[in-house]
Amino acid sequence: MQTIILAGGRGSRLDPYTRVLPKPLFPIGDRPIAHILVNQLNYAGFDEIIMCLGYLADFIKLYFKDGSDFGLTIRYSQENIPLGTAGPLKIVNDLEDDFLVVNGDELTTIDFRALYEHHIAMQADMTVAVHKKAVHSAFGVLEVKGGQVIAYSEKPTLNYWASMGIYVINKRVLSLIPDNERYDMPDLVQTLLSQQAQVASYESEDLWFDIGTPSDLEKAKEEFKELRLP
């Protein structure tokens, strides 16, 4: 089974730290984020990883090399211009019919194999891993229609499904990605939905962090230091 790891982004929300180190190599305990991720993928049965690189690519190549130290094969695909989160998929060679796609800064305890098998069982064009989030409003929320208040909720909790940045994709959808231009995963999902393609969801209650700020990184370190990961 194949995995594409998207590791070419600038990580601008973590500037200035990302000026000297790519975000996937940020340490969580004694191992970088992407090191933890590669071990998890190996444990789940994925035997080939393609890392899509751009910013500070040589740092990542130097760390992971050919993957033999991790018990699998790692090869690289490098973009010359920023291609977003879906654009890099178009330039990867020798893809299997279905493959996992995950961000290189992903920190989660999701069962990657179960996600992949769910996608295959659903015969989906694309499967999106989703995580339930809650937003607590600090204000009263009103529903207004025709200049009249028709409903009122005092400081409600709003629940929604968030994309975890983890996908399984059938390669037939790659034809929808434009050549040599920035194209992101939300663009691909919207295109698939507009064509009535099969976009499945995989609901996860696993630990998951979107590491976008230094405080997010510190919180992730605290949560993960007690876990026994592969």
Side-chain angles (χ1 to χ4, degrees):
M1 297 187 294
Q2 286 178 327
T3 300
I4 291 178
I5 294 181
L6 301 172
R10 174 68 174 77
S12 56
R13 290 187 297 168
L14 280 164
D15 188 83
Y17 306 109
T18 48
R19 295 185 189 183
V20 295
L21 192 68
K23 191 174 171 184
L25 293 185
F26 278 26
I28 299 293
D30 60 353
R31 295 181 293 174
I33 297 171
H35 183 132
I36 295 170
L37 175 59
V38 168
N39 280 354
Q40 289 175 309
L41 292 167
N42 184 28
Y43 182 79
F46 292 86
D47 55 10
E48 183 182 30
I49 291 174
I50 304 103
M51 291 192 175
C52 291
L53 306 180
Y55 180 69
L56 296 180
D58 289 344
F59 285 69
I60 295 174
K61 289 180 181 179
L62 184 63
Y63 189 90
F64 288 101
K65 301 177 183 176
D66 64 357
S68 57
D69 290 344
F70 297 85
L72 40 67
T73 299
I74 296 178
R75 57 187 172 98
Y76 302 94
S77 176
Q78 190 161 342
E79 59 190 35
N80 296 318
I81 59 172
L83 295 174
T85 51
L89 308 183
K90 193 69 177 283
I91 62 174
V92 176
N93 298 318
D94 301 320
L95 284 172
E96 297 173 356
D97 287 343
D98 295 275
F99 52 90
L100 179 72
V101 180
V102 56
N103 290 324
D105 58 354
E106 202 70 53
L107 201 54
T108 178
T109 57
I110 195 171
D111 186 333
F112 290 107
R113 189 180 188 94
L115 165 61
Y116 182 88
E117 291 176 348
H118 175 77
H119 167 84
I120 298 299
M122 294 291 291
Q123 298 182 331
D125 295 297
M126 181 179 193
T127 299
V128 183
V130 297
H131 197 281
K132 183 165 282 186
K133 289 286 189 179
V135 176
H136 306 287
S137 174
F139 306 98
V141 175
L142 293 86
E143 185 176 350
V144 176
K145 185 176 181 180
Q148 299 292 316
V149 175
I150 60 174
Y152 181 91
S153 298
E154 177 60 17
K155 300 179 181 178
T157 297
L158 308 175
N159 296 300
Y160 65 96
W161 289 105
S163 170
M164 297 175 68
I166 307 170
Y167 315 87
V168 185
I169 294 175
N170 186 282
K171 71 177 182 180
R172 60 179 168 264
V173 312
L174 298 182
S175 62
L176 302 174
I177 299 174
D179 295 325
N180 300 316
E181 65 180 74
R182 186 180 185 92
Y183 196 75
D184 290 315
M185 282 297 187
D187 301 317
L188 182 57
V189 173
Q190 292 284 6
T191 299
L192 288 168
L193 294 175
S194 71
Q195 297 192 7
Q196 287 77 52
Q198 174 74 352
V199 180
S201 64
Y202 179 83
E203 298 176 7
S204 169
E205 296 181 357
D206 301 281
L207 198 61
W208 170 60
F209 285 94
D210 173 25
I211 301 173
T213 66
S215 62
D216 294 333
L217 181 63
E218 292 306 313
K219 184 177 180 182
K221 288 178 180 179
E222 284 298 313
E223 291 280 349
F224 268 75
K225 71 180 181 181
E226 303 297 333
L227 297 179
R228 301 184 67 179
L229 296 171

